[in-house]
Amino acid sequence: LPPPPVLPQPHRRNVSETEAQFNTTYTDWVDADLLHIYAFNHSVRRNRTEGVRVSVNVLSDHKDLPVLFVVRQKEAVVSFQVPLILRGLYQRKYAYQEVSRTLCQPQTKAEVETQHFYVDVSTLSLNASYQLRVTRVENFVLRTNERFSFNATAAQPQYFKYEFPEGVDSVIVKVTSAMAFPCSVISIQDILCPVYDLDNNVAFIGMYQTMTKKAAITVQKKDFPSHSFYVVVVVKTEDEACGGALPYYPLSKNASPDEPVDQHNRQKTLEVMVSPAITSEAYVSSVVFCLSIFLSFYVLTLLIACWESCRQHKRKGLLSAMDSPSLDTGHSRSIPDSFLGRGYDSYGYGSFGNGSSSSTEGITDSLGSTEVSYSYVGESWGDWCGRSPAEPRARWCPGSAAGERSLENVAVRPRLDSLSSVEEDDYDTLADIDYDKNVIRTKKYLCVADLARKDKRVLRKKYQIYFWNIATIAVFYALPVIQLVITYQTVVNVTGNQDICYYNFLCAHPLGNLSAFNNILSNLGYVLLGLLFLLIILQREINYNRALMRNDAHALECGIPKHFGLFYAMGTALMMEGLLSACYHVCPNYTNFQFDTSFMYMIAGLCMLKLYQKRHPDINASAYSAYACLALVIFFSVVGVVFGKGNTAFWIVFSVIHILATLLLSTQLYYMGRWKLDSGILRRILHVLYTDCIRQCSGPMYVDRMVLLVMGNIINWSLAAYGLIVRPNDFASYLLAIGICNLLLYFAFYIIMKLRSGERIKLIPLLCIISTSVVWGFALFFFFQGLSTWQKTPAESREHNRDCILLDFFDDHDIWHFLSSIAMFGSFLVLLTLDDDLDCIQRDKIYVF
């Protein structure tokens, strides 16, 4: 048999063991044949925690053969090599010659216990010199409401311990620095060994967030069984995560791409403070405060409704008493207009000669069949439900004796809208060509009666579709949004990565699994006030339907035609804005910002449609085309957020589409829809330019409309040019600004034309306009405070964070939620009550603009 193989003898190392002392610097050398062991011991007390820090510096330059340091403790082992190699982006390597690590402190049950730990030093190089120093960490245990400053580097991380005092259930850890870079990471970890305090492992456990100048993490006692935690501060090897530039990565001519780079002294000075967070009583008081604010609007609305009802009953009783024969004369007594408060000043626009003869003829024909003279008809209708242009005097519409006689006559005559077809085709079925749409809608002067000729049942169904469509959209939109944000919040809670969501961390109060309950609670106003607006609309619709059932002349022939579908859609949109804004604030970031803005676009669009519908009920856009346009707006919003940042091609395409859409909409509004977009459009444009501008210089037929549309085009072209030149990063807000500017322009035009037409604004809408404008001003002030921004990195966004300013619970953005919900509700009330002064004015006397 062959002899057994001879096994190589293990290499014997010389072991040098030293009883070492704290706060002493040991300078020594080590090679492949030598192992140094430094033995330390220190006393550990159960009620007092002291940190121990090991600092080493390798004086030799052997990058390929580093020195290995192993710290052996009672319940943990920490090992690291020097030079310490840390990797950055694209696997870049960075070498550090000076390394310091804080040792994890094992727990002890004894009152006093002496613990030993050893530091082993070894290497495979021929000769490597080093320095070793072990010290106790001062202020290792952080005190409540006391600031502590320290320095840290990528290879010299720091961590400290905090213990919850009695009676404190949650605290907020605030870390600040005067210098933005180098980028750092703040981590909250449980009292466990080992502590993950390097750039490549700090994200393994606990909660963490990147930091430039500010960082804040709210910590709850219930999440830590030991009622204590570590605050870990790590400086990153690169600043790219905090929005900084990547460092220059030099390579010598003969160097390998894998050769590490020495970053020299990459140090940051920081300051940490731990302070108690709010108590559970603050949560309760904040919820009560929020509810009391918005429920007070319900109480105020109820009081106003009761006051209005009492006023109406008092007026009816007074009218009945005055209508009864007098005991002295036997004749009915009359009431002056000024006493009733229902006077109406005459205005320049009203009947426009032949332009409004259709309504008058219909009325006189039907009244003639009831054996009422023409002169009587002119007097009764001119007195209480309109006037002749030759008689510019005040009118009122109470239930007087003359009014009651007129009601009987109105009840038996056919309604004007019954002359139109039930279907909304291109042409209504009319007896005379003079009533053709193309003739009526292109008259120089239009009255509401000309554009309120279709059957009310058809229009009611048409505008009810707005509500049912937005309700359907809300359900299909909200359900996946809720599921998504719950997933976001779950990911944040499980991974501990607080860079996913852009909160105001200095005022983010958690509740249950929610990280920022205050930002969600403040959206309650949108929902409650939206519901209140729906109740107000429901009450108005019920009263209007009752008036129709009793053939009330006011409802049949006077005032702006009442259609409530768009109002229901607006109230629903306001409620959905609150719900989706709350969903967005569960985890705000750039991927779900459209949740917060989608229904803002819808609200702006619906308000413009409602404003246009008031005087153009027959030709307003259908729900399908309106929502299709709004869907296109939201599509551009998403595309702009994802691809629009710095993309010149996108901005060129969007600006061209914006200008073309403005021109098409202007043409549609100017010609009241009586034009066609076909192959002959260019020929007709040239013909109009030749006849009106070259052959004879004539002004526009519809001057008021032209003024509005010219102003609108100037504003929209300016906004398109601004976007193309500046290319703002926040495309969604830019798009929303376009919608708001157009809405404000149209609203201002409507008010000006209303006053110019001799109409007046009653007290309630006037108060709503003034108060809403003031509230909008304050709301925008708080909106532009900018407590966070997802256009920057999470660390840069935290530089904008601020403390709470209301009840130590709500921040500036929460106050924006409060005020904007009230302002939107007030704006809706303005649209609802703006034309209440026309309720007693016959529709052929109400000017269209």
Side-chain angles (χ1 to χ4, degrees):
L1 293 175
V6 179
L7 298 177
Q9 294 295 321
H11 177 72
R12 290 186 176 274
R13 272 188 171 183
N14 296 323
V15 178
S16 173
E17 187 169 345
T18 304
E19 292 291 332
Q21 302 295 324
F22 283 81
N23 300 320
T24 302
T25 301
Y26 295 92
T27 303
D28 214 331
W29 61 273
V30 70
D31 59 17
D33 298 325
L34 181 62
L35 171 66
H36 273 301
I37 299 177
Y38 296 88
F40 295 86
N41 64 79
H42 66 122
S43 298
V44 179
R45 293 178 174 83
R46 184 174 60 185
N47 297 328
R48 181 181 178 186
T49 304
E50 289 185 346
V52 177
R53 192 165 179 83
V54 177
S55 301
V56 299
N57 181 17
V58 173
L59 305 176
S60 304
D61 189 11
H62 298 289
K63 296 181 180 178
D64 295 335
L65 298 172
V67 180
L68 180 65
F69 294 85
V70 179
V71 182
R72 294 178 285 124
Q73 298 176 261
K74 179 181 178 181
E75 297 178 0
V77 175
V78 178
S79 62
F80 54 88
Q81 69 177 42
V82 182
L84 179 64
I85 306 298
L86 296 176
R87 293 185 179 270
L89 197 64
Y90 309 118
Q91 297 300 312
R92 299 184 180 195
K93 294 181 180 179
Y94 301 96
Y96 301 90
Q97 297 292 119
E98 297 184 23
V99 179
S100 296
R101 303 290 295 277
T102 302
L103 302 183
C104 183
Q105 297 302 302
Q107 300 293 325
T108 179
K109 296 181 180 180
E111 188 69 28
V112 179
E113 180 182 350
T114 301
Q115 293 186 354
H116 301 269
F117 67 91
Y118 305 90
V119 181
D120 301 345
V121 185
S122 61
T123 184
L124 294 180
S125 67
L126 298 178
N127 191 347
S129 58
Y130 63 89
Q131 290 180 339
L132 171 67
R133 182 181 178 87
V134 178
T135 58
R136 289 183 173 88
V137 180
E138 297 181 2
N139 299 314
F140 180 72
V141 179
L142 299 174
R143 296 181 177 88
T144 306
N145 289 327
E146 291 188 12
R147 298 180 181 274
F148 175 68
S149 299
F150 59 94
N151 296 323
T153 69
Q156 297 174 340
Q158 298 267 20
Y159 66 85
F160 306 93
K161 184 180 180 181
Y162 180 80
E163 299 173 349
F164 282 95
E166 289 294 329
V168 177
D169 295 325
S170 63
V171 295
I172 179 169
V173 180
K174 300 177 183 178
V175 184
T176 58
S177 175
M179 50 198 306
F181 299 106
C183 178
S184 55
V185 178
I186 311 302
S187 174
I188 303 297
Q189 301 181 19
D190 202 355
I191 306 296
L192 298 172
C193 295
V195 178
Y196 296 94
D197 59 350
L198 291 177
D199 185 23
N200 55 11
N201 62 19
V202 69
F204 285 0
I205 64 171
M207 299 179 290
Y208 64 93
Q209 57 183 231
T210 54
M211 169 191 166
T212 53
K213 291 184 177 181
K214 287 182 183 180
I217 299 179
T218 301
V219 186
Q220 301 184 80
K221 181 190 288 187
K222 65 181 181 62
D223 296 330
F224 297 92
S226 63
H227 295 170
S228 58
F229 57 86
Y230 286 135
V231 180
V232 184
V233 180
V234 178
V235 175
K236 295 183 71 66
T237 57
E238 296 173 342
D239 297 330
E240 190 269 342
C242 294
L246 286 173
Y248 178 61
Y249 198 63
L251 292 174
S252 60
K253 181 177 290 187
N254 299 323
S256 169
D258 293 332
E259 183 177 352
V261 175
D262 188 0
Q263 286 195 313
H264 305 292
N265 187 22
R266 186 176 163 84
Q267 181 174 282
K268 187 168 188 174
T269 301
L270 305 103
E271 187 177 72
V272 60
M273 185 180 73
V274 183
S275 55
I278 62 173
T279 61
S280 57
E281 289 79 9
Y283 281 83
V284 176
S285 62
S286 300
V287 172
V288 172
F289 170 79
C290 187
L291 288 174
S292 62
I293 287 180
F294 299 111
L295 292 181
S296 64
F297 282 87
Y298 283 77
V299 177
L300 181 62
T301 303
L302 184 62
L303 292 177
I304 293 176
C306 292
W307 172 75
E308 184 69 21
S309 177
C310 293
R311 196 166 66 92
Q312 292 292 341
H313 280 85
K314 184 178 179 180
R315 178 182 291 110
K316 288 181 179 179
L318 198 57
L319 290 173
S320 299
M322 293 299 173
D323 190 41
S324 62
S326 172
L327 296 176
D328 298 331
T329 63
H331 297 287
S332 299
R333 289 167 289 186
S334 61
I335 305 174
D337 297 346
S338 59
F339 179 78
L340 291 172
R342 296 296 296 268
Y344 187 86
D345 298 329
S346 61
Y347 53 93
Y349 299 99
S351 291
F352 298 100
N354 296 332
S356 58
S357 61
S358 58
S359 297
T360 307
E361 290 175 4
I363 294 169
T364 55
D365 291 344
S366 60
L367 289 174
S369 62
T370 59
E371 299 180 0
V372 179
S373 67
Y374 182 82
S375 61
Y376 170 76
V377 173
E379 290 175 4
S380 63
W381 280 94
D383 284 344
W384 68 271
C385 227
R387 64 167 175 80
S388 171
E391 298 174 349
R393 58 190 178 87
R395 307 183 300 277
W396 57 287
C397 212
S400 61
E404 290 174 359
R405 288 192 294 269
S406 299
L407 286 178
E408 294 173 0
N409 296 327
V410 172
V412 297
R413 77 178 195 277
R415 287 162 50 187
L416 292 179
D417 52 33
S418 63
L419 296 176
S420 61
S421 65
V422 179
E423 299 298 330
E424 285 192 276
D425 16 353
D426 192 37
Y427 289 93
D428 293 330
T429 304
L430 297 171
D432 198 312
I433 191 63
D434 291 336
Y435 298 107
D436 184 82
K437 289 181 179 179
N438 293 323
V439 175
I440 292 178
R441 296 180 189 175
T442 54
K443 291 188 302 183
K444 187 171 183 179
Y445 297 106
L446 282 172
C447 61
V448 171
D450 294 325
L451 298 179
R453 300 161 58 244
K454 292 186 177 179
D455 194 301
K456 287 185 175 62
R457 294 169 298 170
V458 174
L459 293 181
R460 183 177 181 275
K461 291 180 180 180
K462 172 183 177 179
Y463 293 122
Q464 283 296 332
I465 294 176
Y466 274 96
F467 168 70
W468 291 114
N469 277 10
I470 202 169
T472 306
I473 292 170
V475 172
F476 281 93
Y477 198 103
L479 291 179
V481 167
I482 294 173
Q483 182 181 5
L484 179 63
V485 296
I486 290 175
T487 303
Y488 269 122
Q489 185 67 73
T490 303
V491 171
V492 171
N493 296 338
V494 171
T495 64
N497 183 4
Q498 298 204 351
D499 282 354
I500 297 176
C501 306
Y502 287 71
Y503 304 115
N504 175 19
F505 288 91
L506 291 176
C507 187
H509 303 297
L511 180 67
N513 291 327
L514 300 174
S515 298
F517 172 70
N518 55 302
N519 293 148
I520 299 172
L521 176 65
S522 59
N523 287 283
L524 185 63
Y526 296 105
V527 179
L528 293 180
L529 294 182
L531 178 61
L532 177 59
F533 185 73
L534 290 178
L535 295 176
I536 293 173
I537 297 303
L538 179 62
Q539 186 265 344
R540 280 216 167 195
E541 186 178 25
I542 291 174
N543 291 342
Y544 178 68
N545 289 335
R546 288 174 179 173
L548 291 179
M549 292 294 293
R550 62 175 182 264
N551 288 326
D552 190 340
H554 302 159
L556 291 170
E557 303 297 344
C558 293
I560 299 295
K562 304 295 190 295
H563 300 292
F564 300 96
L566 270 169
F567 280 130
Y568 282 118
M570 290 162 56
T572 305
L574 184 59
M575 295 179 67
M576 287 306 303
E577 171 59 29
L579 175 62
L580 293 179
S581 177
C583 290
Y584 165 71
H585 284 91
V586 170
C587 182
N589 57 63
Y590 87 99
T591 61
N592 59 11
F593 182 70
Q594 65 270 18
F595 300 163
D596 193 24
T597 56
S598 295
F599 276 83
M600 290 185 184
Y601 302 134
M602 289 196 173
I603 289 173
L606 291 173
C607 288
M608 280 191 282
L609 286 169
K610 184 60 194 178
L611 207 55
Y612 187 77
Q613 182 209 51
K614 282 177 171 290
R615 314 239 171 183
H616 310 77
D618 282 1
I619 61 174
N620 203 18
S622 68
Y624 305 112
S625 58
Y627 287 128
C629 293
L630 291 173
L632 190 63
V633 170
I634 295 174
F635 170 77
F636 275 109
S637 173
V638 176
V639 173
V641 169
V642 177
F643 303 107
K645 190 173 182 179
N647 191 334
T648 305
F650 168 80
W651 282 101
I652 293 175
V653 171
F654 175 77
S655 299
V656 171
I657 293 176
H658 182 192
I659 293 173
L660 290 177
T662 302
L663 291 175
L664 290 175
L665 183 60
S666 300
T667 308
Q668 178 75 11
L669 295 178
Y670 185 77
Y671 290 107
M672 295 285 188
R674 312 318 299 167
W675 70 289
K676 291 183 179 181
L677 182 62
D678 53 20
S679 58
I681 185 67
L682 293 177
R683 178 178 54 82
R684 292 196 296 272
I685 291 175
L686 294 175
H687 177 72
V688 171
L689 292 176
Y690 174 74
T691 56
D692 292 353
C693 299
I694 300 175
R695 188 173 179 180
Q696 59 178 7
C697 186
S698 59
M701 179 179 292
Y702 315 110
V703 179
D704 297 326
R705 264 181 267 169
M706 179 60 71
V707 171
L708 169 67
L709 296 175
V710 168
M711 293 177 60
N713 277 268
I714 291 174
I715 291 177
N716 281 277
W717 286 45
S718 300
L719 288 170
Y722 171 81
L724 188 60
I725 296 171
V726 179
R727 283 177 284 182
N729 292 329
D730 191 354
F731 180 79
S733 297
Y734 166 76
L735 196 59
L736 184 61
I738 294 176
I740 293 176
C741 287
N742 283 276
L743 174 59
L744 292 177
L745 173 66
Y746 189 29
F747 182 74
F749 171 81
Y750 192 94
I751 294 292
I752 293 171
M753 290 301 301
K754 181 177 177 68
L755 297 176
R756 182 168 174 257
S757 302
E759 301 173 12
R760 63 188 179 91
I761 300 176
K762 299 181 73 174
L763 179 62
I764 290 181
L766 181 61
L767 292 177
C768 287
I769 292 174
I770 296 174
S771 58
T772 300
S773 301
V774 173
V775 175
W776 269 124
F778 283 104
L780 292 174
F781 169 78
F782 287 103
F783 175 76
F784 287 114
Q785 294 304 304
L787 303 180
S788 62
T789 171
W790 45 262
Q791 302 169 46
K792 300 180 180 179
T793 62
E796 292 174 309
S797 172
R798 275 184 278 274
E799 294 182 19
H800 302 278
N801 289 177
R802 295 184 186 176
D803 292 322
C804 304
I805 62 173
L806 179 62
L807 302 178
D808 289 329
F809 192 84
F810 298 110
D811 60 16
D812 298 75
H813 198 74
D814 294 323
I815 297 178
W816 149 255
H817 287 159
F818 290 146
L819 296 180
S820 63
S821 61
I822 295 172
M824 285 187 185
F825 176 70
S827 302
F828 288 2
L829 291 182
V830 170
L831 291 178
L832 179 63
T833 61
L834 185 58
D835 289 315
D836 283 355
D837 61 301
L838 303 178
D839 285 347
C840 293
I841 309 303
Q842 193 176 348
R843 287 172 192 162
D844 66 345
K845 308 297 188 296
I846 302 175
Y847 183 51
V848 171
F849 42 78

